[in-house]
Amino acid sequence: MLSRMRVGEVTPEKAREFVDSWEIYRRDAQNPLWMSPEELSGLQAHNLRKQVELAARFSPYYRELFRREKVEWEKVRTLEDLERIPVTPMEAYLRSPLAFLLVVDPPGELDVTYEITYTSGTSTGTPAPFFNTAYDMFNISLAMRRMAEICWMTPRDTMFNLFPYGNLPHIGFYRTVHLASLLGMKLVNALTGRDAPGFPLHRSLDEALELAAEHRVTVLAGMGRQERRFILRGEQMGVDLSSVRIVLSLGETVTEGMREEMRAHLPGEASHAFIINGYGFTECQGSFVECCESGGNHNPAPNLYHLEVLDPQTLRPLPEGELGLLALTHLDRRGTVLLRYLVGDLAALERGTCPHCGRAGERLVIRMGSTYAVRADKVIRVDGRLVNPEAVKNQLAGVRGVVEYQLVVEKEDPGDPLSHDRLTLRLSVAGRLRQDLEREVVDRVREAVGITPRIEYVQSPEIYDPSRILKATRIVDNR
Ligand SMILES: [Zn+2]
């Protein structure tokens, strides 16, 4: 039984041994993740040239963009040449998704539209359709199998699909079905979600729990928040979830603390489960996954997707490891095709061989709190540094003595708009000496956001007065 994968427990030798011990992985001779860096960049450049040519010929959006901006697309020969192409704002795609659909003429056998999934539409509220051809489906299938390989799943596992079965086809539910099918593992769909009038189809959380226990499921796949609720409720009901060994958790809120909490409420062997904080989005039709906890989120298909991290102001590529706007370029797609598409998230990445498992390709790395990515519009800027209020919240959640807190951003000199920004943490404390607590809090905030805050002590109602407002205001921007 495989248990929790900590950084340091995973080595390239162990990863290779795992691959070699399963026929389904061993026979994947084309897997780009095990290519040498030279081989991989050759493949990526080859795919990119073909993709850009297809976009120039058959994509209504890029044909028009290349003409209008006089983009010399023939000169895009390698990934380094990508800067010749302007970025694609997310709004452009959400506004007219059909303009990004390739109309290959004449169509080949695999160019038929096979499936449509929808973006979750978190930033605008409007979900956009994303088209897959048969060619895309087969490529996605390979990517899913490689993703399962990275996170140590095997054909002997039993997958429990906790993604909701909703009224719009979403990758969460459907890619989980594909993942299980590709490995030949058993699959149980929880089919949670809300019934549409006249369609009594869905299971309640309690029914889903009974189902999971009955089938002795070993892998949970779903949104982190929902899995947490599932595990806590399971404990309450006394449902036996001890067979769970892997929890694939998606969503930006899956922090280190949440992983620990889930483990603490799982029974028996499952309390050592490997909890993966995946990074999934429709435009990549699957999830980036970890080979070990917090060890980086692997792009499972560097032959299909290329990521850049851009300076939020200049939109120029940032050096490896720096935090910026994530941009995605499709390298080998035939349905919806996006080039240098701004996903709307802030993240950091590293390229080259993974120091843990030894695979090639890029990995998202943690630079803000304990999460890989955060919606760009949730972040505030303090003297050019990006601060994620969620990360502060996670850091302070476990500190004994902190009753309420509030972050205040203001100018050092309120009369001078060009003066430095100042970050103040207002705290209300109980049951602990201020000087003991202060050091811990300052350290934690510095770790979360890279800034040392000033501390100001206040009484709770100054931050949160339940008789006046429903929720505490955690961040105040006085600039
Ligand atoms: Zn790795």
Side-chain angles (χ1 to χ4, degrees):
M1 179 123 186
L2 177 109
S3 75
R4 179 174 176 190
M5 290 283 158
R6 289 188 182 83
V7 166
E9 281 175 16
V10 171
T11 61
E13 293 69 36
K14 277 191 196 164
R16 283 290 350 175
E17 199 182 304
F18 174 74
V19 169
D20 290 338
S21 62
W22 295 96
E23 168 66 17
I24 188 131
Y25 298 141
R26 193 167 53 227
R27 70 176 183 216
D28 186 6
Q30 312 290 320
N31 189 343
L33 297 165
W34 292 111
M35 285 180 176
S36 70
E38 299 73 34
E39 250 182 309
L40 178 58
S41 60
L43 173 67
Q44 288 174 315
H46 170 266
N47 288 358
L48 174 70
R49 289 194 289 271
K50 205 156 112 193
Q51 185 77 87
V52 171
E53 186 187 342
L54 283 170
R57 293 175 63 198
F58 302 126
S59 162
Y61 179 86
Y62 290 108
R63 204 167 39 208
E64 166 61 16
L65 177 85
F66 291 176
R67 191 190 56 76
R68 194 177 65 230
E69 302 289 327
K70 300 187 174 51
V71 175
E72 296 177 292
W73 61 268
E74 300 88 341
K75 290 191 178 162
V76 179
R77 309 294 297 163
T78 68
L79 293 174
E80 286 70 42
D81 305 325
L82 259 183
E83 265 207 272
R84 289 179 174 277
I85 300 175
V87 298
T88 302
M90 181 192 261
E91 297 71 34
Y93 164 54
L94 296 181
R95 210 167 31 234
S96 42
L98 285 171
F100 291 86
L101 175 61
L102 290 192
V103 187
V104 179
D105 185 28
E109 203 182 337
L110 295 182
D111 290 324
V112 59
T113 295
Y114 190 99
E115 185 211 62
I116 303 171
T117 48
Y118 286 78
T119 62
S120 43
T122 43
S123 52
T124 60
T126 333
F130 187 92
F131 297 85
N132 288 319
T133 65
Y135 183 85
D136 297 328
M137 289 309 292
F138 293 154
N139 259 330
I140 291 164
S141 297
L142 286 173
M144 297 305 295
R145 204 169 68 193
R146 290 160 186 166
M147 174 196 144
E149 184 205 288
I150 296 167
C151 57
W152 309 87
M153 293 178 190
T154 80
R156 290 215 190 119
D157 278 309
T158 301
M159 171 73 82
F160 196 57
N161 185 359
L162 255 174
F163 283 103
Y165 177 50
N167 54 349
L168 280 180
H170 187 257
I171 57 158
F173 185 83
Y174 286 101
R175 291 298 91 91
T176 305
V177 172
H178 283 118
L179 192 147
S181 312
L182 285 152
L183 251 68
M185 62 164 72
K186 282 177 262 177
L187 166 70
V188 182
N189 292 305
L191 230 63
T192 57
R194 208 179 314 148
D195 283 342
F199 295 97
L201 293 169
H202 293 96
R203 290 190 189 92
S204 69
L205 194 68
D206 290 5
E207 288 167 333
L209 273 158
E210 301 284 2
L211 199 63
E214 192 181 312
H215 290 282
R216 306 279 308 148
V217 299
T218 61
V219 180
L220 297 184
M223 300 300 287
R225 252 186 256 236
Q226 192 196 14
E227 287 169 331
R228 176 185 171 274
R229 209 159 62 92
F230 181 80
I231 289 167
L232 293 181
R233 179 66 186 149
E235 190 186 40
Q236 233 174 33
M237 286 172 62
V239 170
D240 182 10
L241 293 177
S242 60
S243 52
V244 172
R245 67 179 198 101
I246 297 177
V247 181
L248 177 56
S249 281
L250 299 191
E252 65 185 57
T253 50
V254 187
T255 59
E256 194 53 49
M258 238 172 100
R259 298 195 215 207
E260 290 304 337
E261 189 191 12
M262 285 197 254
R263 256 193 291 269
H265 293 277
L266 278 167
E269 281 285 291
S271 62
H272 304 289
F274 171 31
I275 301 187
I276 304 156
N277 180 7
Y279 176 73
F281 54 122
T282 307
E283 296 86 344
C284 270
Q285 287 291 300
S287 177
F288 287 28
V289 287
E290 297 175 318
C291 61
C292 53
E293 287 194 13
S294 305
N297 244 328
H298 280 271
N299 172 2
N303 55 320
L304 302 180
Y305 314 117
H306 172 68
L307 287 175
E308 295 171 274
V309 170
L310 309 178
D311 183 306
Q313 244 120 52
T314 63
L315 296 179
R316 300 283 321 271
L318 285 169
E320 257 183 62
E322 283 190 28
L323 188 70
L325 286 173
L326 204 57
L328 162 73
T329 296
H330 288 146
L331 297 177
D332 194 10
R333 284 190 45 88
R334 299 295 182 272
T336 298
V337 170
L338 301 162
L339 305 175
R340 306 197 79 213
Y341 169 75
L342 295 173
V343 179
D345 282 346
L346 288 165
L349 59 80
E350 283 176 8
R351 302 186 199 283
T353 310
C354 170
H356 312 294
C357 70
R359 287 181 180 86
E362 64 238 317
R363 288 164 305 119
L364 297 181
V365 289
I366 292 174
R367 283 292 178 277
M368 262 191 298
S370 58
T371 50
Y372 286 98
V374 58
R375 301 303 300 177
D377 52 14
K378 280 195 184 165
V379 166
I380 54 162
R381 201 172 261 279
V382 181
D383 259 357
R385 204 179 266 275
L386 299 162
V387 170
N388 177 11
E390 190 73 15
V392 176
K393 181 177 147 197
N394 292 323
Q395 281 292 339
L396 295 184
V399 180
R400 195 170 53 82
V402 173
V403 180
E404 292 291 351
Y405 76 90
Q406 186 175 58
L407 284 173
V408 181
V409 192
E410 58 206 344
K411 286 288 170 196
E412 261 173 12
D413 176 359
D416 176 8
L418 295 177
S419 68
H420 281 293
D421 294 333
R422 188 166 68 182
L423 185 69
T424 304
L425 182 67
R426 306 177 79 209
L427 277 180
S428 87
V429 176
R432 210 174 152 194
L433 284 177
R434 283 180 178 180
Q435 72 234 42
D436 286 357
L437 182 130
E438 184 163 323
R439 200 172 314 126
E440 185 180 348
V441 164
V442 169
D443 284 350
R444 279 175 176 250
V445 173
R446 195 190 301 123
E447 195 185 311
V449 303
I451 297 174
T452 307
R454 289 170 64 236
I455 301 286
E456 188 184 309
Y457 293 98
V458 294
Q459 297 300 318
S460 277
E462 290 180 49
I463 298 174
Y464 172 46
D465 180 356
S467 66
R468 288 179 50 234
I469 41 172
L470 281 175
K471 269 174 83 179
T473 310
R474 294 291 175 214
I475 188 132
V476 177
D477 195 338
N478 285 337
R479 288 169 297 184

